[in-house]
Amino acid sequence: MIQIEHVTKTYSNAVRAVDDLNLSVNNGEIVGFIGPNGAGKTTTLKMLTGILKPDCGTIRINDYDIQKEPLKAKQEIGYIADSPDMFLRLKGIEFMNLISDIYKVPDDLRRKRMKTFAARFDLSEVLDKPMQSYSHGMRQKMMVAAALVHDPAVWILDEPLTGLDPKSAFALKNMMREHADAGNSVLFSTHVLEVAEKLCDKVIIINHGKTIFYGTLDELTAKYPDMDLEKIFLEMTAHE
């Protein structure tokens, strides 16, 4: 479960990236995080994972306060950042083992999970090659596999489908649904509104760091009958 209560973040240039944000993602839910560029989505996700510290407010991951119990909270999280360009001098297998070591994944489980991810994302032939030789899409698939190798309860994903080929995108969407159906939490940002419409139990729409809608798609479309999610999004953000 993810809980955000009255969280605010202002940068040094006095730009308030997130403004009194409240949000919860219950166990068994997939929540889509939607907003224009600069709306505060990535800042929020980085605060959720402890990369950034909020100015005020409380963030809990499965009841662990990210500020007071950061290690316990982070052990619950699988995080896919908005850029896959990291640790590029490492081979894929070295990167997977590094993340497995950080989370203390036993050897037998890591081998099993690596084999599963390699099959799902067509990584088998590149695991022994440096990631700097990978395409953007291949790096993205490696970030997905590494983020999930410790079998985290809470998935926090920043544009996870960007750069993925259709087969890999389909596999990840299925994994997200399976994860939520098993009683876990998934929060992901996306610009692909059709994906949010088909995959999410709820959506949160933010603009200028503020929530302008949070609820189910049925609740959203009831306010804007005869409009698809893209048109609703454009209508809502046009007046903010």
Side-chain angles (χ1 to χ4, degrees):
M1 185 174 184
I2 299 170
Q3 296 169 291
I4 300 176
E5 298 175 355
H6 301 293
V7 165
T8 294
K9 178 64 178 179
T10 303
Y11 290 113
S12 57
N13 56 0
V15 173
R16 181 162 288 187
V18 176
D19 190 357
D20 194 31
L21 185 66
N22 294 277
L23 168 66
S24 63
V25 182
N26 296 319
N27 294 332
E29 286 185 342
I30 300 175
V31 174
F33 202 17
I34 304 170
N37 290 336
K41 300 187 301 298
T42 293
T43 295
T44 300
L45 299 186
K46 287 184 176 179
M47 288 191 290
L48 276 171
T49 55
I51 297 171
L52 293 176
K53 183 177 180 180
D55 300 333
C56 60
T58 303
I59 296 171
R60 294 185 180 89
I61 307 294
N62 282 350
D63 293 326
Y64 294 117
D65 189 307
I66 193 69
Q67 298 298 317
K68 296 178 180 178
E69 299 180 279
L71 291 181
K72 289 182 178 179
K74 291 175 184 179
Q75 286 173 347
E76 301 290 315
I77 296 170
Y79 172 56
I80 300 174
D82 57 340
S83 172
D85 298 328
M86 58 187 75
F87 297 100
L88 297 183
R89 293 180 181 237
L90 294 180
K91 296 177 181 179
I93 191 67
E94 293 172 336
F95 179 58
M96 292 283 283
N97 277 313
L98 171 64
I99 301 302
S100 296
D101 288 342
I102 290 172
Y103 287 99
K104 300 179 181 179
V105 181
D107 289 345
D108 57 338
L109 281 179
R110 75 174 66 180
R111 285 193 295 267
K112 179 181 178 181
R113 290 170 186 165
M114 286 179 191
K115 184 177 180 180
T116 297
F117 291 133
R120 286 196 175 190
F121 296 117
D122 295 325
L123 293 170
S124 300
E125 295 183 1
V126 300
L127 285 177
D128 62 346
K129 297 178 181 179
M131 292 193 296
Q132 62 188 0
S133 69
Y134 292 6
S135 66
H136 177 88
M138 194 66 71
R139 292 175 187 175
Q140 183 71 6
K141 290 192 285 187
M142 186 59 67
M143 293 302 116
V144 172
L148 306 181
V149 71
H150 64 295
D151 193 27
V154 174
W155 293 7
I156 298 173
L157 317 177
D158 197 351
E159 298 288 346
L161 301 173
T162 301
L164 294 185
D165 58 81
K167 177 184 175 182
S168 298
F170 180 76
L172 179 55
K173 286 184 283 187
N174 280 345
M175 290 170 64
M176 292 165 68
R177 186 72 268 168
E178 292 167 2
H179 191 67
D181 288 346
N184 300 298
S185 307
V186 179
L187 176 66
F188 77 104
S189 69
T190 181
H191 285 106
V192 185
L193 301 178
E194 184 179 357
V195 171
E197 193 167 19
K198 292 180 178 179
L199 188 60
C200 295
D201 302 300
K202 295 179 182 177
V203 295
I204 177 170
I205 303 176
I206 69 170
N207 199 15
H208 303 301
K210 294 184 178 181
T211 302
I212 56 177
F213 177 81
Y214 178 53
T216 67
L217 288 169
D218 286 343
E219 292 169 340
L220 179 60
T221 54
K223 294 183 177 182
Y224 296 87
D226 304 320
M227 294 176 66
D228 60 24
L229 187 58
E230 182 175 2
K231 290 180 180 178
I232 292 171
F233 172 78
L234 293 173
E235 174 71 16
M236 294 183 77
T237 56
H239 299 295
E240 293 292 322

